[in-house]
PDB file of all heavy atoms in Angstrom:
ATOM      1  N   ASP A   1      87.767  -9.153 294.539  1.00 96.00           N
ATOM      2  CA  ASP A   1      88.873  -9.463 293.667  1.00 96.00           C
ATOM      3  C   ASP A   1      88.779 -10.884 293.058  1.00 96.00           C
ATOM      4  O   ASP A   1      89.719 -11.641 292.997  1.00 96.00           O
ATOM      5  CB  ASP A   1      90.229  -9.339 294.401  1.00 96.00           C
ATOM      6  CG  ASP A   1      91.395  -9.202 293.456  1.00 96.00           C
ATOM      7  OD1 ASP A   1      91.252  -8.552 292.414  1.00 96.00           O
ATOM      8  OD2 ASP A   1      92.454  -9.774 293.734  1.00 96.00           O
ATOM      9  N   LYS A   2      87.575 -11.246 292.666  1.00 96.00           N
ATOM     10  CA  LYS A   2      87.325 -12.595 292.084  1.00 96.00           C
ATOM     11  C   LYS A   2      86.828 -12.415 290.617  1.00 96.00           C
ATOM     12  O   LYS A   2      86.251 -11.345 290.317  1.00 96.00           O
ATOM     13  CB  LYS A   2      86.283 -13.365 292.897  1.00 96.00           C
ATOM     14  CG  LYS A   2      86.764 -13.634 294.297  1.00 96.00           C
ATOM     15  CD  LYS A   2      85.961 -14.693 294.941  1.00 96.00           C
ATOM     16  CE  LYS A   2      86.456 -14.912 296.335  1.00 96.00           C
ATOM     17  NZ  LYS A   2      86.751 -16.218 296.728  1.00 96.00           N
ATOM     18  N   VAL A   3      86.982 -13.436 289.811  1.00 96.00           N
ATOM     19  CA  VAL A   3      86.399 -13.439 288.470  1.00 96.00           C
ATOM     20  C   VAL A   3      85.279 -14.458 288.366  1.00 96.00           C
ATOM     21  O   VAL A   3      85.165 -15.384 289.227  1.00 96.00           O
ATOM     22  CB  VAL A   3      87.484 -13.803 287.382  1.00 96.00           C
ATOM     23  CG1 VAL A   3      88.563 -12.753 287.365  1.00 96.00           C
ATOM     24  CG2 VAL A   3      88.081 -15.127 287.654  1.00 96.00           C
ATOM     25  N   ALA A   4      84.400 -14.227 287.421  1.00 97.00           N
ATOM     26  CA  ALA A   4      83.269 -15.134 287.227  1.00 97.00           C
ATOM     27  C   ALA A   4      83.575 -16.097 286.068  1.00 97.00           C
ATOM     28  O   ALA A   4      84.557 -15.962 285.294  1.00 97.00           O
ATOM     29  CB  ALA A   4      82.026 -14.348 286.888  1.00 97.00           C
ATOM     30  N   SER A   5      82.719 -17.062 285.892  1.00 97.00           N
ATOM     31  CA  SER A   5      82.837 -17.991 284.742  1.00 97.00           C
ATOM     32  C   SER A   5      81.650 -17.661 283.789  1.00 97.00           C
ATOM     33  O   SER A   5      80.612 -17.161 284.186  1.00 97.00           O
ATOM     34  CB  SER A   5      82.733 -19.434 285.184  1.00 97.00           C
ATOM     35  OG  SER A   5      81.483 -19.688 285.782  1.00 97.00           O
ATOM     36  N   PHE A   6      81.868 -17.987 282.500  1.00 97.00           N
ATOM     37  CA  PHE A   6      80.891 -17.705 281.515  1.00 97.00           C
ATOM     38  C   PHE A   6      80.673 -18.916 280.617  1.00 97.00           C
ATOM     39  O   PHE A   6      81.621 -19.669 280.358  1.00 97.00           O
ATOM     40  CB  PHE A   6      81.316 -16.544 280.630  1.00 97.00           C
ATOM     41  CG  PHE A   6      81.523 -15.245 281.388  1.00 97.00           C
ATOM     42  CD1 PHE A   6      82.747 -14.953 281.968  1.00 97.00           C
ATOM     43  CD2 PHE A   6      80.465 -14.384 281.571  1.00 97.00           C
ATOM     44  CE1 PHE A   6      82.898 -13.756 282.679  1.00 97.00           C
ATOM     45  CE2 PHE A   6      80.637 -13.213 282.268  1.00 97.00           C
ATOM     46  CZ  PHE A   6      81.850 -12.900 282.836  1.00 97.00           C
ATOM     47  N   GLN A   7      79.468 -19.004 280.088  1.00 96.00           N
ATOM     48  CA  GLN A   7      79.153 -20.119 279.159  1.00 96.00           C
ATOM     49  C   GLN A   7      78.087 -19.596 278.239  1.00 96.00           C
ATOM     50  O   GLN A   7      77.203 -18.812 278.584  1.00 96.00           O
ATOM     51  CB  GLN A   7      78.630 -21.344 279.981  1.00 96.00           C
ATOM     52  CG  GLN A   7      78.268 -22.470 279.186  1.00 96.00           C
ATOM     53  CD  GLN A   7      77.745 -23.595 280.049  1.00 96.00           C
ATOM     54  OE1 GLN A   7      77.647 -23.501 281.293  1.00 96.00           O
ATOM     55  NE2 GLN A   7      77.378 -24.699 279.479  1.00 96.00           N
ATOM     56  N   VAL A   8      78.177 -20.030 276.992  1.00 95.00           N
ATOM     57  CA  VAL A   8      77.125 -19.676 276.005  1.00 95.00           C
ATOM     58  C   VAL A   8      76.329 -20.962 275.735  1.00 95.00           C
ATOM     59  O   VAL A   8      76.836 -22.002 275.426  1.00 95.00           O
ATOM     60  CB  VAL A   8      77.752 -19.225 274.622  1.00 95.00           C
ATOM     61  CG1 VAL A   8      76.670 -18.998 273.612  1.00 95.00           C
ATOM     62  CG2 VAL A   8      78.544 -17.962 274.824  1.00 95.00           C
ATOM     63  N   ALA A   9      74.996 -20.807 275.891  1.00 94.00           N
ATOM     64  CA  ALA A   9      74.097 -21.959 275.655  1.00 94.00           C
ATOM     65  C   ALA A   9      72.756 -21.401 275.087  1.00 94.00           C
ATOM     66  O   ALA A   9      72.216 -20.463 275.616  1.00 94.00           O
ATOM     67  CB  ALA A   9      73.862 -22.701 276.930  1.00 94.00           C
ATOM     68  N   ASP A  10      72.278 -21.995 274.032  1.00 92.00           N
ATOM     69  CA  ASP A  10      71.025 -21.611 273.410  1.00 92.00           C
ATOM     70  C   ASP A  10      70.904 -20.124 273.121  1.00 92.00           C
ATOM     71  O   ASP A  10      69.863 -19.523 273.309  1.00 92.00           O
ATOM     72  CB  ASP A  10      69.857 -22.100 274.299  1.00 92.00           C
ATOM     73  CG  ASP A  10      69.823 -23.567 274.494  1.00 92.00           C
ATOM     74  OD1 ASP A  10      70.135 -24.279 273.508  1.00 92.00           O
ATOM     75  OD2 ASP A  10      69.431 -24.071 275.568  1.00 92.00           O
ATOM     76  N   GLY A  11      71.999 -19.586 272.679  1.00 91.00           N
ATOM     77  CA  GLY A  11      71.984 -18.126 272.266  1.00 91.00           C
ATOM     78  C   GLY A  11      71.952 -17.131 273.390  1.00 91.00           C
ATOM     79  O   GLY A  11      71.671 -15.933 273.213  1.00 91.00           O
ATOM     80  N   VAL A  12      72.345 -17.530 274.618  1.00 94.00           N
ATOM     81  CA  VAL A  12      72.378 -16.634 275.754  1.00 94.00           C
ATOM     82  C   VAL A  12      73.735 -16.858 276.474  1.00 94.00           C
ATOM     83  O   VAL A  12      74.325 -17.912 276.424  1.00 94.00           O
ATOM     84  CB  VAL A  12      71.226 -16.820 276.762  1.00 94.00           C
ATOM     85  CG1 VAL A  12      69.915 -16.509 276.096  1.00 94.00           C
ATOM     86  CG2 VAL A  12      71.197 -18.201 277.315  1.00 94.00           C
ATOM     87  N   VAL A  13      74.144 -15.829 277.249  1.00 96.00           N
ATOM     88  CA  VAL A  13      75.314 -15.927 278.077  1.00 96.00           C
ATOM     89  C   VAL A  13      74.876 -16.301 279.498  1.00 96.00           C
ATOM     90  O   VAL A  13      73.998 -15.678 280.037  1.00 96.00           O
ATOM     91  CB  VAL A  13      76.087 -14.585 278.089  1.00 96.00           C
ATOM     92  CG1 VAL A  13      77.272 -14.661 279.052  1.00 96.00           C
ATOM     93  CG2 VAL A  13      76.517 -14.223 276.711  1.00 96.00           C
ATOM     94  N   ILE A  14      75.520 -17.335 280.006  1.00 96.00           N
ATOM     95  CA  ILE A  14      75.233 -17.768 281.377  1.00 96.00           C
ATOM     96  C   ILE A  14      76.443 -17.352 282.216  1.00 96.00           C
ATOM     97  O   ILE A  14      77.556 -17.704 281.915  1.00 96.00           O
ATOM     98  CB  ILE A  14      75.044 -19.261 281.469  1.00 96.00           C
ATOM     99  CG1 ILE A  14      73.841 -19.696 280.595  1.00 96.00           C
ATOM    100  CG2 ILE A  14      74.854 -19.746 282.938  1.00 96.00           C
ATOM    101  CD1 ILE A  14      73.702 -21.173 280.425  1.00 96.00           C
ATOM    102  N   ILE A  15      76.167 -16.595 283.295  1.00 97.00           N
ATOM    103  CA  ILE A  15      77.239 -16.133 284.208  1.00 97.00           C
ATOM    104  C   ILE A  15      77.197 -17.056 285.439  1.00 97.00           C
ATOM    105  O   ILE A  15      76.210 -17.158 286.104  1.00 97.00           O
ATOM    106  CB  ILE A  15      77.021 -14.682 284.635  1.00 97.00           C
ATOM    107  CG1 ILE A  15      76.974 -13.816 283.416  1.00 97.00           C
ATOM    108  CG2 ILE A  15      78.152 -14.208 285.518  1.00 97.00           C
ATOM    109  CD1 ILE A  15      76.475 -12.354 283.699  1.00 97.00           C
ATOM    110  N   GLY A  16      78.349 -17.619 285.785  1.00 96.00           N
ATOM    111  CA  GLY A  16      78.453 -18.423 286.925  1.00 96.00           C
ATOM    112  C   GLY A  16      79.608 -18.017 287.806  1.00 96.00           C
ATOM    113  O   GLY A  16      80.457 -17.192 287.479  1.00 96.00           O
ATOM    114  N   ASP A  17      79.547 -18.499 289.028  1.00 95.00           N
ATOM    115  CA  ASP A  17      80.684 -18.255 290.001  1.00 95.00           C
ATOM    116  C   ASP A  17      80.870 -16.777 290.343  1.00 95.00           C
ATOM    117  O   ASP A  17      81.961 -16.405 290.643  1.00 95.00           O
ATOM    118  CB  ASP A  17      82.002 -18.883 289.575  1.00 95.00           C
ATOM    119  CG  ASP A  17      81.896 -20.361 289.363  1.00 95.00           C
ATOM    120  OD1 ASP A  17      81.171 -21.017 290.088  1.00 95.00           O
ATOM    121  OD2 ASP A  17      82.611 -20.860 288.494  1.00 95.00           O
ATOM    122  N   TYR A  18      79.811 -15.979 290.255  1.00 96.00           N
ATOM    123  CA  TYR A  18      79.993 -14.569 290.631  1.00 96.00           C
ATOM    124  C   TYR A  18      79.832 -14.505 292.147  1.00 96.00           C
ATOM    125  O   TYR A  18      79.135 -15.277 292.748  1.00 96.00           O
ATOM    126  CB  TYR A  18      79.006 -13.672 289.940  1.00 96.00           C
ATOM    127  CG  TYR A  18      77.542 -14.034 290.076  1.00 96.00           C
ATOM    128  CD1 TYR A  18      76.732 -13.603 291.078  1.00 96.00           C
ATOM    129  CD2 TYR A  18      76.965 -14.944 289.171  1.00 96.00           C
ATOM    130  CE1 TYR A  18      75.435 -13.915 291.239  1.00 96.00           C
ATOM    131  CE2 TYR A  18      75.638 -15.334 289.311  1.00 96.00           C
ATOM    132  CZ  TYR A  18      74.898 -14.798 290.349  1.00 96.00           C
ATOM    133  OH  TYR A  18      73.582 -15.172 290.478  1.00 96.00           O
ATOM    134  N   CYS A  19      80.494 -13.631 292.770  1.00 96.00           N
ATOM    135  CA  CYS A  19      80.616 -13.577 294.267  1.00 96.00           C
ATOM    136  C   CYS A  19      79.569 -12.755 294.917  1.00 96.00           C
ATOM    137  O   CYS A  19      79.260 -12.977 296.121  1.00 96.00           O
ATOM    138  CB  CYS A  19      81.976 -13.150 294.687  1.00 96.00           C
ATOM    139  SG  CYS A  19      82.499 -11.586 293.990  1.00 96.00           S
ATOM    140  N   CYS A  20      78.954 -11.793 294.236  1.00 97.00           N
ATOM    141  CA  CYS A  20      77.971 -10.902 294.883  1.00 97.00           C
ATOM    142  C   CYS A  20      77.072 -10.299 293.813  1.00 97.00           C
ATOM    143  O   CYS A  20      77.381 -10.297 292.649  1.00 97.00           O
ATOM    144  CB  CYS A  20      78.622  -9.850 295.742  1.00 97.00           C
ATOM    145  SG  CYS A  20      79.639  -8.650 294.857  1.00 97.00           S
ATOM    146  N   SER A  21      75.948  -9.783 294.258  1.00 97.00           N
ATOM    147  CA  SER A  21      74.993  -9.205 293.340  1.00 97.00           C
ATOM    148  C   SER A  21      75.537  -7.949 292.624  1.00 97.00           C
ATOM    149  O   SER A  21      75.204  -7.689 291.478  1.00 97.00           O
ATOM    150  CB  SER A  21      73.674  -8.875 294.027  1.00 97.00           C
ATOM    151  OG  SER A  21      73.875  -7.964 295.061  1.00 97.00           O
ATOM    152  N   ASP A  22      76.381  -7.201 293.281  1.00 97.00           N
ATOM    153  CA  ASP A  22      76.989  -5.995 292.670  1.00 97.00           C
ATOM    154  C   ASP A  22      77.866  -6.439 291.481  1.00 97.00           C
ATOM    155  O   ASP A  22      77.860  -5.777 290.426  1.00 97.00           O
ATOM    156  CB  ASP A  22      77.795  -5.198 293.658  1.00 97.00           C
ATOM    157  CG  ASP A  22      76.953  -4.506 294.666  1.00 97.00           C
ATOM    158  OD1 ASP A  22      75.801  -4.252 294.467  1.00 97.00           O
ATOM    159  OD2 ASP A  22      77.506  -4.166 295.749  1.00 97.00           O
ATOM    160  N   PHE A  23      78.624  -7.519 291.658  1.00 97.00           N
ATOM    161  CA  PHE A  23      79.467  -7.989 290.577  1.00 97.00           C
ATOM    162  C   PHE A  23      78.604  -8.512 289.447  1.00 97.00           C
ATOM    163  O   PHE A  23      78.898  -8.244 288.259  1.00 97.00           O
ATOM    164  CB  PHE A  23      80.388  -9.105 291.140  1.00 97.00           C
ATOM    165  CG  PHE A  23      81.413  -9.582 290.176  1.00 97.00           C
ATOM    166  CD1 PHE A  23      82.053  -8.705 289.294  1.00 97.00           C
ATOM    167  CD2 PHE A  23      81.778 -10.900 290.160  1.00 97.00           C
ATOM    168  CE1 PHE A  23      83.040  -9.185 288.386  1.00 97.00           C
ATOM    169  CE2 PHE A  23      82.725 -11.399 289.279  1.00 97.00           C
ATOM    170  CZ  PHE A  23      83.370 -10.499 288.393  1.00 97.00           C
ATOM    171  N   TYR A  24      77.554  -9.217 289.742  1.00 97.00           N
ATOM    172  CA  TYR A  24      76.638  -9.751 288.712  1.00 97.00           C
ATOM    173  C   TYR A  24      76.067  -8.587 287.906  1.00 97.00           C
ATOM    174  O   TYR A  24      76.054  -8.606 286.689  1.00 97.00           O
ATOM    175  CB  TYR A  24      75.520 -10.568 289.373  1.00 97.00           C
ATOM    176  CG  TYR A  24      74.574 -11.157 288.335  1.00 97.00           C
ATOM    177  CD1 TYR A  24      74.890 -12.295 287.658  1.00 97.00           C
ATOM    178  CD2 TYR A  24      73.375 -10.521 288.052  1.00 97.00           C
ATOM    179  CE1 TYR A  24      74.028 -12.828 286.680  1.00 97.00           C
ATOM    180  CE2 TYR A  24      72.504 -11.044 287.094  1.00 97.00           C
ATOM    181  CZ  TYR A  24      72.841 -12.180 286.425  1.00 97.00           C
ATOM    182  OH  TYR A  24      71.990 -12.703 285.488  1.00 97.00           O
ATOM    183  N   LYS A  25      75.645  -7.544 288.585  1.00 97.00           N
ATOM    184  CA  LYS A  25      75.041  -6.389 287.927  1.00 97.00           C
ATOM    185  C   LYS A  25      76.115  -5.709 287.042  1.00 97.00           C
ATOM    186  O   LYS A  25      75.819  -5.334 285.872  1.00 97.00           O
ATOM    187  CB  LYS A  25      74.543  -5.373 288.942  1.00 97.00           C
ATOM    188  CG  LYS A  25      73.933  -4.152 288.381  1.00 97.00           C
ATOM    189  CD  LYS A  25      73.448  -3.207 289.348  1.00 97.00           C
ATOM    190  CE  LYS A  25      72.836  -1.952 288.664  1.00 97.00           C
ATOM    191  NZ  LYS A  25      72.532  -0.882 289.632  1.00 97.00           N
ATOM    192  N   SER A  26      77.325  -5.579 287.523  1.00 97.00           N
ATOM    193  CA  SER A  26      78.390  -4.985 286.749  1.00 97.00           C
ATOM    194  C   SER A  26      78.700  -5.809 285.471  1.00 97.00           C
ATOM    195  O   SER A  26      78.892  -5.239 284.440  1.00 97.00           O
ATOM    196  CB  SER A  26      79.642  -4.877 287.627  1.00 97.00           C
ATOM    197  OG  SER A  26      80.790  -4.595 286.899  1.00 97.00           O
ATOM    198  N   LEU A  27      78.694  -7.111 285.671  1.00 97.00           N
ATOM    199  CA  LEU A  27      78.957  -8.000 284.476  1.00 97.00           C
ATOM    200  C   LEU A  27      77.861  -7.892 283.444  1.00 97.00           C
ATOM    201  O   LEU A  27      78.178  -7.807 282.270  1.00 97.00           O
ATOM    202  CB  LEU A  27      79.092  -9.428 284.932  1.00 97.00           C
ATOM    203  CG  LEU A  27      80.371  -9.748 285.751  1.00 97.00           C
ATOM    204  CD1 LEU A  27      80.267 -11.213 286.304  1.00 97.00           C
ATOM    205  CD2 LEU A  27      81.612  -9.653 284.895  1.00 97.00           C
ATOM    206  N   THR A  28      76.601  -7.892 283.892  1.00 97.00           N
ATOM    207  CA  THR A  28      75.544  -7.781 282.912  1.00 97.00           C
ATOM    208  C   THR A  28      75.515  -6.477 282.161  1.00 97.00           C
ATOM    209  O   THR A  28      75.306  -6.406 280.968  1.00 97.00           O
ATOM    210  CB  THR A  28      74.115  -8.007 283.593  1.00 97.00           C
ATOM    211  OG1 THR A  28      73.990  -7.069 284.650  1.00 97.00           O
ATOM    212  CG2 THR A  28      73.962  -9.427 284.133  1.00 97.00           C
ATOM    213  N   GLU A  29      75.920  -5.399 282.865  1.00 97.00           N
ATOM    214  CA  GLU A  29      76.025  -4.103 282.204  1.00 97.00           C
ATOM    215  C   GLU A  29      77.188  -4.084 281.150  1.00 97.00           C
ATOM    216  O   GLU A  29      77.024  -3.576 280.070  1.00 97.00           O
ATOM    217  CB  GLU A  29      76.231  -2.994 283.242  1.00 97.00           C
ATOM    218  CG  GLU A  29      75.017  -2.704 284.055  1.00 97.00           C
ATOM    219  CD  GLU A  29      75.250  -1.792 285.239  1.00 97.00           C
ATOM    220  OE1 GLU A  29      76.450  -1.421 285.508  1.00 97.00           O
ATOM    221  OE2 GLU A  29      74.239  -1.402 285.874  1.00 97.00           O
ATOM    222  N   ARG A  30      78.314  -4.705 281.567  1.00 96.00           N
ATOM    223  CA  ARG A  30      79.469  -4.763 280.644  1.00 96.00           C
ATOM    224  C   ARG A  30      79.156  -5.618 279.450  1.00 96.00           C
ATOM    225  O   ARG A  30      79.497  -5.278 278.331  1.00 96.00           O
ATOM    226  CB  ARG A  30      80.698  -5.315 281.360  1.00 96.00           C
ATOM    227  CG  ARG A  30      81.412  -4.335 282.265  1.00 96.00           C
ATOM    228  CD  ARG A  30      82.207  -3.298 281.471  1.00 96.00           C
ATOM    229  NE  ARG A  30      83.282  -3.982 280.781  1.00 96.00           N
ATOM    230  CZ  ARG A  30      83.491  -3.897 279.483  1.00 96.00           C
ATOM    231  NH1 ARG A  30      82.736  -3.117 278.692  1.00 96.00           N
ATOM    232  NH2 ARG A  30      84.470  -4.539 278.907  1.00 96.00           N
ATOM    233  N   ILE A  31      78.442  -6.738 279.622  1.00 96.00           N
ATOM    234  CA  ILE A  31      78.074  -7.597 278.532  1.00 96.00           C
ATOM    235  C   ILE A  31      77.154  -6.819 277.587  1.00 96.00           C
ATOM    236  O   ILE A  31      77.376  -6.886 276.350  1.00 96.00           O
ATOM    237  CB  ILE A  31      77.401  -8.882 279.025  1.00 96.00           C
ATOM    238  CG1 ILE A  31      78.419  -9.803 279.715  1.00 96.00           C
ATOM    239  CG2 ILE A  31      76.690  -9.624 277.885  1.00 96.00           C
ATOM    240  CD1 ILE A  31      77.860 -10.939 280.477  1.00 96.00           C
ATOM    241  N   GLN A  32      76.221  -6.128 278.112  1.00 96.00           N
ATOM    242  CA  GLN A  32      75.321  -5.316 277.263  1.00 96.00           C
ATOM    243  C   GLN A  32      76.065  -4.246 276.490  1.00 96.00           C
ATOM    244  O   GLN A  32      75.829  -4.000 275.327  1.00 96.00           O
ATOM    245  CB  GLN A  32      74.155  -4.711 278.070  1.00 96.00           C
ATOM    246  CG  GLN A  32      73.139  -4.023 277.216  1.00 96.00           C
ATOM    247  CD  GLN A  32      72.457  -5.004 276.249  1.00 96.00           C
ATOM    248  OE1 GLN A  32      72.002  -6.059 276.669  1.00 96.00           O
ATOM    249  NE2 GLN A  32      72.441  -4.724 275.015  1.00 96.00           N
ATOM    250  N   GLU A  33      77.033  -3.611 277.175  1.00 95.00           N
ATOM    251  CA  GLU A  33      77.865  -2.607 276.487  1.00 95.00           C
ATOM    252  C   GLU A  33      78.636  -3.190 275.338  1.00 95.00           C
ATOM    253  O   GLU A  33      78.680  -2.589 274.223  1.00 95.00           O
ATOM    254  CB  GLU A  33      78.867  -1.920 277.456  1.00 95.00           C
ATOM    255  CG  GLU A  33      78.240  -1.042 278.462  1.00 95.00           C
ATOM    256  CD  GLU A  33      79.262  -0.586 279.502  1.00 95.00           C
ATOM    257  OE1 GLU A  33      80.510  -0.851 279.329  1.00 95.00           O
ATOM    258  OE2 GLU A  33      78.902   0.000 280.505  1.00 95.00           O
ATOM    259  N   GLU A  34      79.214  -4.368 275.536  1.00 93.00           N
ATOM    260  CA  GLU A  34      79.972  -4.981 274.437  1.00 93.00           C
ATOM    261  C   GLU A  34      79.056  -5.442 273.313  1.00 93.00           C
ATOM    262  O   GLU A  34      79.429  -5.355 272.178  1.00 93.00           O
ATOM    263  CB  GLU A  34      80.783  -6.183 275.022  1.00 93.00           C
ATOM    264  CG  GLU A  34      81.948  -5.786 275.823  1.00 93.00           C
ATOM    265  CD  GLU A  34      82.949  -4.974 275.098  1.00 93.00           C
ATOM    266  OE1 GLU A  34      83.190  -5.159 273.893  1.00 93.00           O
ATOM    267  OE2 GLU A  34      83.485  -4.028 275.713  1.00 93.00           O
ATOM    268  N   ILE A  35      77.899  -5.952 273.653  1.00 93.00           N
ATOM    269  CA  ILE A  35      76.914  -6.329 272.615  1.00 93.00           C
ATOM    270  C   ILE A  35      76.545  -5.094 271.789  1.00 93.00           C
ATOM    271  O   ILE A  35      76.497  -5.149 270.596  1.00 93.00           O
ATOM    272  CB  ILE A  35      75.659  -7.007 273.237  1.00 93.00           C
ATOM    273  CG1 ILE A  35      76.028  -8.405 273.720  1.00 93.00           C
ATOM    274  CG2 ILE A  35      74.507  -7.078 272.183  1.00 93.00           C
ATOM    275  CD1 ILE A  35      74.915  -9.086 274.525  1.00 93.00           C
ATOM    276  N   ASP A  36      76.280  -3.964 272.482  1.00 93.00           N
ATOM    277  CA  ASP A  36      75.946  -2.744 271.773  1.00 93.00           C
ATOM    278  C   ASP A  36      77.101  -2.323 270.875  1.00 93.00           C
ATOM    279  O   ASP A  36      76.840  -1.867 269.765  1.00 93.00           O
ATOM    280  CB  ASP A  36      75.610  -1.664 272.786  1.00 93.00           C
ATOM    281  CG  ASP A  36      74.256  -1.949 273.514  1.00 93.00           C
ATOM    282  OD1 ASP A  36      73.477  -2.866 273.098  1.00 93.00           O
ATOM    283  OD2 ASP A  36      74.026  -1.259 274.563  1.00 93.00           O
ATOM    284  N   LYS A  37      78.325  -2.353 271.346  1.00 91.00           N
ATOM    285  CA  LYS A  37      79.471  -1.954 270.581  1.00 91.00           C
ATOM    286  C   LYS A  37      79.648  -2.802 269.336  1.00 91.00           C
ATOM    287  O   LYS A  37      79.814  -2.330 268.236  1.00 91.00           O
ATOM    288  CB  LYS A  37      80.762  -2.034 271.394  1.00 91.00           C
ATOM    289  CG  LYS A  37      80.968  -0.926 272.360  1.00 91.00           C
ATOM    290  CD  LYS A  37      82.278  -1.189 273.089  1.00 91.00           C
ATOM    291  CE  LYS A  37      82.456  -0.328 274.267  1.00 91.00           C
ATOM    292  NZ  LYS A  37      83.749  -0.657 275.001  1.00 91.00           N
ATOM    293  N   GLN A  38      79.507  -4.136 269.542  1.00 83.00           N
ATOM    294  CA  GLN A  38      79.707  -5.056 268.466  1.00 83.00           C
ATOM    295  C   GLN A  38      78.623  -4.988 267.394  1.00 83.00           C
ATOM    296  O   GLN A  38      78.866  -5.089 266.201  1.00 83.00           O
ATOM    297  CB  GLN A  38      79.787  -6.559 268.972  1.00 83.00           C
ATOM    298  CG  GLN A  38      80.967  -6.814 269.844  1.00 83.00           C
ATOM    299  CD  GLN A  38      82.293  -6.738 269.056  1.00 83.00           C
ATOM    300  OE1 GLN A  38      82.343  -7.114 267.919  1.00 83.00           O
ATOM    301  NE2 GLN A  38      83.340  -6.303 269.751  1.00 83.00           N
ATOM    302  N   THR A  39      77.377  -4.797 267.815  1.00 82.00           N
ATOM    303  CA  THR A  39      76.291  -4.686 266.862  1.00 82.00           C
ATOM    304  C   THR A  39      76.370  -3.347 266.106  1.00 82.00           C
ATOM    305  O   THR A  39      75.924  -3.282 264.993  1.00 82.00           O
ATOM    306  CB  THR A  39      74.933  -4.847 267.518  1.00 82.00           C
ATOM    307  OG1 THR A  39      74.764  -3.926 268.611  1.00 82.00           O
ATOM    308  CG2 THR A  39      74.703  -6.285 268.035  1.00 82.00           C
ATOM    309  N   PHE A  40      76.864  -2.326 266.771  1.00 77.00           N
ATOM    310  CA  PHE A  40      77.075  -1.061 266.080  1.00 77.00           C
ATOM    311  C   PHE A  40      78.107  -1.170 264.952  1.00 77.00           C
ATOM    312  O   PHE A  40      77.995  -0.528 263.918  1.00 77.00           O
ATOM    313  CB  PHE A  40      77.494   0.041 267.108  1.00 77.00           C
ATOM    314  CG  PHE A  40      77.655   1.388 266.498  1.00 77.00           C
ATOM    315  CD1 PHE A  40      76.591   2.139 266.110  1.00 77.00           C
ATOM    316  CD2 PHE A  40      78.940   1.884 266.339  1.00 77.00           C
ATOM    317  CE1 PHE A  40      76.729   3.404 265.515  1.00 77.00           C
ATOM    318  CE2 PHE A  40      79.116   3.111 265.783  1.00 77.00           C
ATOM    319  CZ  PHE A  40      78.006   3.874 265.341  1.00 77.00           C
TER     320      PHE A  40
END
């Protein structure tokens, strides 16, 4: 039940303060989904 922090630098998204690898994986998948939606 925690949230992560995000930062944009040099054209990439940096994910910080994630609590576990499952959460990190979930976030990277969601980011990719949103990129795909927006580019579409």
